[in-house]
Amino acid sequence: MEKTVTYIGEKTQVSLSQNADDRQLIETTSGEVIAKIDVLYPVLHGNFGEDGSIQGFAKLANIACVGCGILGSAVGMDKDIVKRILRDAGIGVADFVTLRKAYNEDMNYEEVSAKLGKELFVKPANLGSSVGVSFVADENAYNQAVEVGFSYDTKVLVEEKVTGREIECAVMGNEIIEASVIGEILPKSSWYSFENKYVDEDGAKLAIPAQLTPAQAEKARNTAIETYRLLECRGLTRVDMFLLADDHIIVNEVNTLPGFTKVSMYPKMWEAAGLPYQQLVTKLIELAIAEHQKMNALMLI
Ligand SMILES: Nc1ncnc2c1ncn2[C@@H]1O[C@H](COP(=O)(O)OP(=O)(O)O)[C@@H](O)[C@H]1O
Ligand SMILES: [Mg+2]
């Protein structure tokens, strides 16, 4: 493939050609064609980037897009839906209740803690980066945490506190799904908060590969692959899990567009598995093109 790199200034307004088969990026004011797009590589997080919106945009424009499609992205973004799918398939997840503003906001600490224990995690269903996530152990903190959760989402999850090691696996593929070595997050404080992730430079240590027995690592990898399959992921996803003292694995969440800087877990775990950064990116682009071609070959009515 011919490589063309076109840098577009930050303030340049661009639009996509109306004709889906053109795949042309056009400068809005001049009408000039700036580039022809082979693949869209969304380097984004959160709403619109990770929830299926940009993936839908790419689909409408008939452009191959790196990573999960509309379905996998939307499912992976919603921690409530993820948990229900995994639970149905017999994969371990933390016990939880889902609060919705409209009908069970009145579920109070007493009721929830009778079901899930006194120590709880409260989180918005569709968010990331530990924003809006709270650990609570009393009524006051619980009420505040629920309010914070509802300021970010119309759906809030309350989960039992899981005591285990936080491990992660980088997964990649379309039909053939591969898993990396397992990595471990060792947060400085009791959990991997926003502070530990982004504010405090020494907030967490990463162990890649994690110190696990071969059997533990194999089980984690298999759980990650099964999760990926169940959630209809494509391209790439990072599966975050807890390893319990009795070797049980609980899936905490998935990240369909995981952090991708040179110090991020996803590329580091592949690097440790023998796949360097550049080759990883190439593979992800090839997977996007292959998936796009496969879908385009289907009869659409
Ligand atoms: N049920 C739980 N039990 C124990 N720790 C949890 C639980 N849920 C979340 N955590 C802690 O909070 C962090 C952030 O929660 P997470 O569900 O991963 O949200 P985010 O999508 O914002 O990363 C996790 O990395 C973990 O340290
Ligand atoms: Mg997380």
Side-chain angles (χ1 to χ4, degrees), residues 197 238 240 252-253 255:
K197 275 185 197 174
R238 197 188 73 222
D240 297 352
N252 178 37
E253 62 148 348
N255 288 279

Side-chain angles (χ1 to χ4, degrees), residues 76-130:
M77 190 72 192
D78 189 315
K79 293 183 165 90
D80 170 49
I81 300 288
V82 164
K83 283 201 157 58
R84 287 196 261 155
I85 292 173
L86 298 181
R87 188 178 57 187
D88 178 68
I91 296 214
V93 292
D95 251 354
F96 69 106
V97 294
T98 306
L99 308 180
R100 281 175 206 263
K101 226 173 183 147
Y103 53 82
N104 58 357
E105 199 192 357
D106 56 339
M107 243 197 154
N108 57 38
Y109 180 68
E110 203 181 324
E111 280 177 279
V112 177
S113 59
K115 185 172 148 58
L116 302 175
K118 296 214 172 313
E119 297 189 314
L120 301 163
F121 273 85
V122 180
K123 48 180 103 162
N126 296 270
L127 214 68
S129 308
S130 295

Side-chain angles (χ1 to χ4, degrees), residues 79 94 121 123 127-131 133 159-162 166 191-192 197 242 252-253:
K79 293 183 165 90
F121 273 85
K123 48 180 103 162
L127 214 68
S129 308
S130 295
V131 175
V133 179
E159 296 178 4
E160 64 170 333
K161 181 194 169 199
V162 175
E166 263 194 91
W191 62 285
Y192 201 24
K197 275 185 197 174
F242 295 109
N252 178 37
E253 62 148 348

